[in-house]
Amino acid sequence: MAFDRMDSATYLASLLAKSFSRALQERGQKLGFAPGQFPVLLELWSEEGLTQKQLLDRLDIEQATMANTLSRMERDGLILRKKHPSDKRAQQVFLTDKAREMETEAKDAAFAADQSLFSGFRHFERELMLEYMRKAIANTQRNGRLPPAS
């Protein structure tokens, strides 16, 4: 059987992720964040004071990528890092007022990016696709390839 990339879930998921990233980038740039920063922001809007290690565990990205993302976020005035009170090697990550104030608009931007990708879908089609995506993610988690969804 010949491989057809348009019949490949992994290839199509990659294209979909790129499309979402581009759509979010257009909207996020106006607010002052990059698509790669959005997952970190989501985690910190949910719980501030996480360490870099905790963020790594929750987001399943490379250490170097996380370090670069946090440095850029600090440079852009989105986060502050403070020494951990009980672990001298660790730093806690906190949002700045700028990042806190953009939460609603940033989530609205992500929602708009989502909506643009689902343009033309009927409600049940959107729900079905999301359910299938959740099942595929659960399969990868069961096989030890992704961290549990937070």
Side-chain angles (χ1 to χ4, degrees):
M1 179 171 155
F3 181 82
D4 181 352
R5 66 179 179 222
M6 295 311 287
D7 287 332
S8 167
T10 52
Y11 180 80
L12 293 174
S14 175
L15 286 180
L16 188 60
K18 287 177 190 175
S19 296
F20 178 78
S21 183
R22 282 189 202 106
L24 184 58
Q25 181 173 7
E26 292 170 11
R27 292 163 174 86
Q29 201 168 33
K30 295 173 187 167
L31 297 173
F33 71 90
Q37 298 169 342
F38 190 65
V40 175
L41 288 169
L42 284 174
E43 290 299 327
L44 294 173
W45 285 323
S46 177
E47 181 181 357
E48 283 197 67
L50 297 172
T51 64
Q52 184 169 323
K53 171 76 169 104
Q54 288 171 312
L55 287 167
L56 281 169
D57 291 344
R58 291 179 183 199
L59 298 174
D60 191 37
I61 61 173
E62 296 295 322
Q63 163 65 31
T65 302
M66 178 61 75
N68 289 334
T69 299
L70 292 177
S71 292
R72 186 171 174 199
M73 291 176 77
E74 193 168 36
R75 180 200 71 199
D76 295 346
L78 298 174
I79 63 161
L80 298 168
R81 293 189 253 198
K82 298 179 183 177
K83 291 182 182 182
H84 193 283
S86 60
D87 183 350
K88 293 182 183 192
R89 297 168 298 157
Q91 292 181 325
Q92 291 178 289
V93 182
F94 293 90
L95 295 168
T96 62
D97 289 340
K98 175 183 175 180
R100 280 188 209 94
E101 290 167 3
M102 75 167 54
E103 179 179 1
T104 299
E105 285 183 281
K107 287 178 177 179
D108 288 347
F111 181 76
D114 243 22
Q115 293 302 102
S116 72
L117 292 177
F118 284 111
S119 177
F121 279 62
R122 292 181 293 209
H123 179 75
F124 85 91
E125 292 170 325
R126 179 185 185 280
E127 292 303 312
L128 202 55
M129 183 169 173
L130 290 172
E131 180 61 24
Y132 292 154
M133 291 167 77
R134 287 183 201 107
K135 283 183 178 183
I137 290 167
N139 286 342
T140 60
Q141 289 169 343
R142 242 187 324 278
N143 295 326
R145 292 194 180 95
L146 284 177
S150 10

